[in-house]
Amino acid sequence: MIPKPGKDHKSTKGWRPINLINCIGKLEEKVVAERLQEARLFHRYQFGSGKGRSAVEAALRVITRAQRCMGSRGAVGWAFWDVKGGFQSAREEDVLRQLEKSEE
């Protein structure tokens, strides 16, 4: 257990548990991930958890594509979302209003 800073260490809420995965489990996980990537089961535009496919690479690809489009006098639009927990604090009415403004 790791003590949480500024918390009462006499209470269970004042501590953070440590979860250690053994080395064999980590090795098995890497082997399975490697085999899944070799089998090409992931979409070609999936960048998370892929070998040599980082979020930085994804951002650079998008920026490069946008720059090429703008260079040929094209228009560029951006849309970002987080499927897992996106927009928890955004009100639906506000999002729709902004989308309507952008269409004008």
Side-chain angles (χ1 to χ4, degrees):
M1 301 294 278
I2 300 173
K4 292 182 181 177
K7 299 287 183 175
D8 178 18
H9 298 137
K10 293 179 184 176
S11 166
T12 56
K13 292 186 178 190
W15 294 87
R16 185 174 291 127
I18 300 174
N19 185 7
L20 300 176
I21 299 174
N22 64 34
C23 293
I24 293 174
K26 288 181 182 180
L27 180 62
E28 287 174 6
E29 184 179 327
K30 286 185 183 243
V31 168
V32 169
E34 182 81 24
R35 294 234 174 122
L36 287 173
Q37 289 177 46
E38 287 172 2
R40 301 193 187 280
L41 296 176
F42 298 116
H43 190 276
R44 65 184 178 145
Y45 292 122
Q46 178 177 340
F47 287 89
S49 71
K51 194 179 210 177
R53 311 269 297 175
S54 69
V56 172
E57 182 185 353
L60 288 174
R61 283 177 174 236
V62 169
I63 290 168
T64 302
R65 187 177 233 180
Q67 288 173 334
R68 286 181 186 154
C69 185
M70 290 185 310
S72 61
R73 304 240 186 254
V76 176
W78 298 84
F80 298 95
W81 66 91
D82 178 359
V83 175
K84 199 173 199 178
F87 306 111
Q88 306 95 318
S89 60
R91 293 189 348 217
E92 182 179 1
E93 311 85 50
D94 295 338
V95 173
L96 292 174
R97 192 173 320 113
Q98 289 298 323
L99 288 172
E100 288 171 3
K101 281 183 185 178
S102 67
E103 290 176 357
E104 295 173 356

